[in-house]
């Protein structure tokens, strides 16, 4: 059975959807190993189902709870907000979201105010130092326009979320130094992720 809540190290991950607006070349959904759990959901879990899956794992045992999964969690903004509110109410210390930064485009509105006071850390996939490279590796449904959307999302995130991190995956043709400069210009933390898929 597919996992809605799963543990990696001291973090408890929440898998809320398999849908995504990108189709990245390095997406773990395409690798054989994935993250070591079956994350292919047979249906989109409701808020209640997500909370029940988390209750079974005792979220207070972990350093952080991370909305991540095999898809883009902010596609399910209403469920993420409701579950994050519940997590805060039981005393979870830290809540993080890993996102592709395209949720505002997807929903056609600014969803970041919804996350204020609930999400402590947001990790946004920058993926590249420019729009052309971004589209080559991320293969967004929005084409090269997606890159500017991500930059806008990063800038907007700083208003509502205490810690904003942007990431790239080390990948052929992606200039890490240039990507780092973009992060510096935006005034956010920068992290390089290694690709371990196969
Ligand atoms: S944004 Fe994330 S979930 Fe979506 S295709 Fe890229 S790596 Fe996979």
């Amino acid at each position: 059975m597919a996992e809605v809540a799963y543990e990696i190290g001291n973090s408890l991950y929440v898998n809320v959807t398999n849908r995504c607006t990108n189709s990245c070349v390095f997406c773990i959904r395409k690798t054989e190993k994935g993250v070591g759990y079956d994350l292919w959901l047979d249906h989109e879990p409701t808020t209640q189902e997500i909370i029940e899956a988390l209750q079974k794992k005792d979220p207070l045992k972990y350093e952080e709870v991370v909305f991540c999964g095999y898809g883009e969690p902010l596609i399910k903004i209403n469920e993420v907000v409701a579950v994050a509110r519940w997590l805060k109410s039981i005393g979870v210390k830290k809540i993080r979201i890993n996102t592709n930064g395209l949720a505002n485009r997807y929903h056609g509105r600014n969803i970041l105010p919804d996350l204020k006071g609930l999400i402590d850390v947001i990790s946004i996939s920058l993926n590249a130092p420019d729009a052309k490279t971004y589209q080559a590796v991320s293969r967004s449904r929005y084409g090269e326009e997606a890159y500017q959307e991500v930059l806008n999302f990063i800038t907007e995130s700083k208003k509502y979320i205490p810690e904003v991190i942007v990431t790239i995956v080390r990948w052929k043709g992606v200039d890490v130094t240039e990507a780092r400069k973009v992060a510096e210009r935006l005034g956010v933390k920068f992290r390089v992720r290694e690709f371990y898929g196969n």
Side-chain angles (χ1 to χ4, degrees):
M1 205 178 95
E3 306 281 351
V4 171
Y6 59 99
E7 172 186 298
I8 298 181
N10 288 327
S11 302
L12 182 59
Y13 282 76
V14 198
N15 177 24
V16 296
T17 184
N18 289 155
R19 290 178 290 155
C20 188
T21 48
N22 283 358
S23 178
C24 300
V25 288
F26 39 67
C27 183
I28 53 167
R29 302 187 297 181
K30 297 181 180 48
T31 67
E32 277 176 28
K33 282 191 298 197
V35 292
Y37 293 101
D38 174 13
L39 298 182
W40 284 111
L41 300 164
D42 50 20
H43 70 285
E44 294 279 320
T46 62
T47 297
Q48 192 53 35
E49 285 171 326
I50 298 165
I51 289 174
E52 281 167 18
L54 285 165
Q55 277 171 326
K56 286 186 192 145
K57 300 281 185 186
D58 186 4
L60 294 177
K61 273 193 336 203
Y62 298 89
E63 277 174 17
E64 60 173 355
V65 176
V66 186
F67 289 93
C68 181
Y70 255 3
E72 168 49 47
L74 290 177
I75 280 180
K76 294 186 69 167
I77 181 67
N78 294 337
E79 288 82 352
V80 166
V81 166
V83 173
R85 199 169 281 139
W86 173 76
L87 287 166
K88 284 286 181 203
S89 78
I90 63 166
V92 161
K93 288 184 230 96
K94 187 157 102 177
I95 305 178
R96 168 160 61 104
I97 286 194
N98 293 351
T99 176
N100 65 14
L102 290 167
N104 285 355
R105 175 69 179 256
Y106 178 83
H107 292 289
R109 70 180 182 91
N110 184 6
I111 56 95
L112 283 157
D114 300 19
L115 303 179
K116 190 174 178 194
L118 296 174
I119 303 303
D120 303 289
V121 185
I122 191 161
S123 176
I124 304 166
S125 302
L126 178 66
N127 284 356
D130 60 84
K132 198 164 187 294
T133 313
Y134 179 89
Q135 185 57 4
V137 294
S138 310
R139 301 185 296 191
S140 176
R141 71 164 67 163
Y142 306 120
E144 287 186 19
E145 279 175 28
Y147 190 66
Q148 188 58 48
E149 295 280 348
V150 174
L151 298 184
N152 296 347
F153 192 86
I154 294 165
T155 303
E156 197 62 19
S157 291
K158 289 164 61 184
K159 296 183 197 163
Y160 301 100
I161 298 176
E163 188 176 351
V164 180
I165 303 165
V166 301
T167 66
I168 65 157
V169 174
R170 201 181 295 283
W171 193 263
K172 191 169 174 278
V174 176
D175 189 325
V176 175
T177 308
E178 289 302 312
R180 187 185 300 277
K181 285 184 196 164
V182 174
E184 282 167 3
R185 278 201 298 276
L186 293 166
V188 292
K189 292 182 186 167
F190 178 72
R191 205 164 278 167
V192 181
R193 291 163 46 216
E194 302 299 331
F195 176 70
Y196 294 116
N198 55 21

